[in-house]
């Protein structure tokens, strides 16, 4: 006998994931909390990393990155909040004033197609594994550096 049918189990899982994210975000001082939640909204998508088709068009709109104008470039890291947060700790190392991940992540970078930043927004995507470069504040990621695409580090991470 099945207790759940249809989309209910998936919706429940998404609700619980959002609740856990909010509970984790509530642990920081207010200045860090807002920046951390903003980072998660803009750069974390813990869904399946198979992002063909209209993935970028849909997710950029859903996250509010197409209003009032289409954002030119945005990247989504396909990992859990805690996996990304670990880059601020022992799963990352200093990279100037930022942190470079020891392990690679699946990242989808959405780039605006065409010359206009007005709607409708149409995006291309690049979905390669890479090491991420982030800024951290009090142990929480608050900024993703889109300009640093490091596919192969060439050496092992010096863990602290």
């Amino acid at each position: 006998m099945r207790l759940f049918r249809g989309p209910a189990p998936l919706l429940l899982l998404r609700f619980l994931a959002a609740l856990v994210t909010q509970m984790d975000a509530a642990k920081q001082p207010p200045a860090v909390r807002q920046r951390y939640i903003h980072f998660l909204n803009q750069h974390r998508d813990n869904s399946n990393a198979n992002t063909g088709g209209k993935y970028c068009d849909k997710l950029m709109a859903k996250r509010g990155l197409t209003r009032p104008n289409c954002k030119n470039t945005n990247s989504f890291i396909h990992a859990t909040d805690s996996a990304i947060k670990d880059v601020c700790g022992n799963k990352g190392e200093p990279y100037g004033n930022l942190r470079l991940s020891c392990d690679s992540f699946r990242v989808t970078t959405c780039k605006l197609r065409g010359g206009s930043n007005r709607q409708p927004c149409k995006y291309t995507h690049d979905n390669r594994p890479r090491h991420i470069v982030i800024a951290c504040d009090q142990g929480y990621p608050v900024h993703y550096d889109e300009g640093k695409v490091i596919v192969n580090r060439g050496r092992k991470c010096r863990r602290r």
Side-chain angles (χ1 to χ4, degrees):
M1 180 173 130
R2 284 185 80 184
L3 295 177
F4 297 105
R5 294 181 187 198
L10 182 60
L11 291 172
L12 179 62
L13 284 175
R14 286 187 179 173
F15 171 76
L16 291 174
L19 183 63
V20 168
T21 296
Q22 291 297 327
M23 288 170 49
D24 184 46
K27 296 177 185 175
Q28 307 86 42
V32 176
R33 182 179 311 126
Q34 288 305 104
R35 293 173 66 207
Y36 178 55
I37 291 171
H38 181 75
F39 171 87
L40 292 175
N41 181 62
Q42 279 204 312
H43 299 296
R44 195 238 341 131
D45 180 32
N46 196 20
S47 68
N48 183 347
N50 183 2
T51 59
K54 303 245 181 231
Y55 170 85
C56 284
D57 297 351
K58 290 177 181 177
L59 194 57
M60 293 289 284
K62 180 180 176 182
R63 299 287 176 95
L65 304 174
T66 59
R67 296 181 307 268
N69 295 314
C70 308
K71 186 173 181 183
N72 288 325
T73 303
N74 195 71
S75 296
F76 296 101
I77 305 163
H78 301 282
T80 63
D81 301 354
S82 62
I84 299 168
K85 187 175 151 192
D86 287 346
V87 175
C88 295
N90 66 355
K91 299 270 180 131
E93 67 180 10
Y95 190 77
N97 61 348
L98 303 171
R99 301 284 296 173
L100 173 62
S101 66
C102 293
D103 301 318
S104 64
F105 288 82
R106 176 69 62 181
V107 177
T108 299
T109 298
C110 302
K111 291 190 177 184
L112 187 62
R113 281 191 281 161
S116 173
N117 67 348
R118 300 210 185 270
Q119 295 190 21
C121 308
K122 301 289 183 195
Y123 292 90
T124 62
H125 72 276
D126 175 7
N127 184 321
R128 290 181 289 162
R130 66 190 80 157
H131 296 272
I132 61 172
V133 178
I134 60 176
C136 300
D137 189 351
Q138 299 180 44
Y140 288 86
V142 294
H143 173 74
Y144 177 75
D145 193 327
E146 305 261 7
K148 307 282 191 287
V149 178
I150 301 168
V151 177
N152 185 0
R153 287 178 53 106
R155 64 173 178 75
K156 294 261 186 196
C157 190
R158 293 181 302 238
R159 304 203 188 233
R160 335 188 252 202

